Amino acid sequence: MNPKCGRCERVVYPTEKVNCLDKYWHKGCFSCEVCKMTLNMKNYKGFDKRPYCNAHYPKTSFTIVADTPENRRLKEQSKNQSQVLYKEDFEKNKGKCFSAVAITPEMERIKKAQDQISNIKYHEEFEKRKMGGGEAAQHHHQQQQQQQQQPSNPSPAAFQQPAASQNFHYEPTPEPVRQAAAAPPPSAGKRYRAVYDYSAADEDEVSFMDGDVIVDVQQIDEGWMYGRVERTGQQGMLPANYVEAI
């Protein structure tokens, strides 16, 4: 027995039969449900067991949920449960002050960069203090020298400039005292040039000016030397970082 056509419901004979979408169709009846364009097995699209062309194929849409009393009751119940959980969590954490920050690769990279910047700034400040230490010490010794050279009752003789060859005789402390407190005799042949001014702070130290030549220099330790100022003839201790070898 021959089947009936899915559209016109007439008998479909084998010579004109199209079997598709679980139905049998006449070749002329197998057309788009909207525009009636004749289709074939290569260009049709089926929806709900009906053929459509590409232009009129039904597009799916979102399902709209009906706002029923039961749905409203479930929504209200979910809202109340959320508020209960929020209040319980608030009571547990009341009085605690914390903030959780997720540790991500980006956060780790930023933290590492900040640490590197802090280290660089620390070393820069350290080098500045190190370089400025000599100037601060020089300024401090100059102030001490000025205080020592200002007598309480100045006399006209205090303002007289002694000869260059006799500068070591005007110090308040007698020369033999400095010689007694001096270090062992220096070895000859070592000459240095002063790169800063220096004012003696103790009796066993020697004062000099930038450019003075220091002869007969002996290294006492890492920071101090013993020598004689060629310009004034004074001998005594001097800081090693104020002179350079020539």
Side-chain angles (χ1 to χ4, degrees), residues 145-157:
Q145 179 69 13
Q146 291 176 359
Q147 292 176 358
Q148 291 178 358
Q149 292 182 356
Q150 291 179 357
S152 57
N153 295 320
S155 60

Side-chain angles (χ1 to χ4, degrees), residues 2-235:
N2 294 322
K4 292 183 179 182
C5 177
R7 186 177 299 278
C8 67
E9 296 184 354
R10 294 179 182 178
V11 176
V12 180
Y13 296 98
T15 56
E16 58 180 357
K17 180 173 62 175
V18 175
N19 185 5
C20 184
L21 300 175
D22 296 335
K23 294 182 181 181
Y24 295 95
W25 313 78
H26 292 105
K27 291 181 180 179
C29 294
F30 190 65
S31 59
C32 177
E33 290 287 327
V34 179
C35 65
K36 307 303 179 181
M37 181 181 72
T38 302
L39 303 173
N40 54 44
M41 300 299 294
K42 295 182 179 180
N43 62 2
Y44 86 95
K45 288 189 175 183
F47 180 82
D48 197 18
K49 295 185 179 182
R50 291 288 179 179
Y52 292 90
C53 65
N54 187 47
H56 296 102
Y57 180 75
K59 294 182 171 49
T60 58
S61 59
F62 295 103
T63 302
I64 300 175
V65 179
D67 187 13
T68 62
E70 180 64 17
N71 289 336
R72 287 197 297 269
R73 185 186 66 79
L74 294 174
K75 180 179 179 181
E76 188 69 21
Q77 183 178 357
S78 299
K79 182 178 179 181
N80 293 335
Q81 289 178 351
S82 299
Q83 291 179 352
V84 171
L85 292 175
Y86 171 77
K87 290 181 180 179
E88 289 179 357
D89 187 65
F90 175 77
E91 293 296 332
K92 289 180 181 179
N93 297 312
K94 184 164 47 176
K96 298 180 182 180
C97 181
F98 64 90
S99 59
V101 179
I103 300 177
T104 61
E106 181 66 16
M107 294 291 293
E108 292 180 353
R109 185 187 66 79
I110 294 174
K111 184 177 183 299
K112 186 176 181 180
Q114 291 175 347
D115 292 340
Q116 291 177 351
I117 293 173
S118 299
N119 290 334
I120 292 173
K121 290 184 178 180
Y122 170 77
H123 287 295
E124 288 179 355
E125 294 295 331
F126 177 78
E127 292 296 332
K128 288 180 181 179
R129 291 196 297 268
K130 184 177 179 181
M131 296 298 295
E135 297 180 359
Q138 176 185 353
H139 180 69
H140 177 70
H141 289 308
Q142 287 180 351
Q143 289 182 344
Q144 289 184 344
Q145 179 69 13
Q146 291 176 359
Q147 292 176 358
Q148 291 178 358
Q149 292 182 356
Q150 291 179 357
S152 57
N153 295 320
S155 60
F159 298 97
Q160 295 179 0
Q161 294 291 337
S165 60
Q166 298 177 353
N167 283 343
F168 60 91
H169 293 296
Y170 74 91
E171 293 290 340
T173 306
E175 186 66 23
V177 175
R178 277 200 307 275
Q179 293 291 343
S187 58
K190 295 183 179 180
R191 297 168 60 86
Y192 287 76
R193 177 181 290 108
V195 294
Y196 303 106
D197 295 343
Y198 181 74
S199 299
D202 295 323
E203 295 179 355
D204 59 346
E205 297 180 9
V206 63
S207 301
F208 52 83
M209 298 177 62
D210 183 9
D212 281 348
V213 178
I214 316 298
V215 297
D216 300 334
V217 177
Q218 181 184 9
Q219 188 76 32
I220 303 301
D221 54 28
E222 185 179 354
W224 289 90
M225 296 179 173
Y226 183 90
R228 177 172 59 86
V229 182
E230 192 175 51
R231 178 176 61 84
T232 62
Q234 295 182 0
Q235 302 182 58

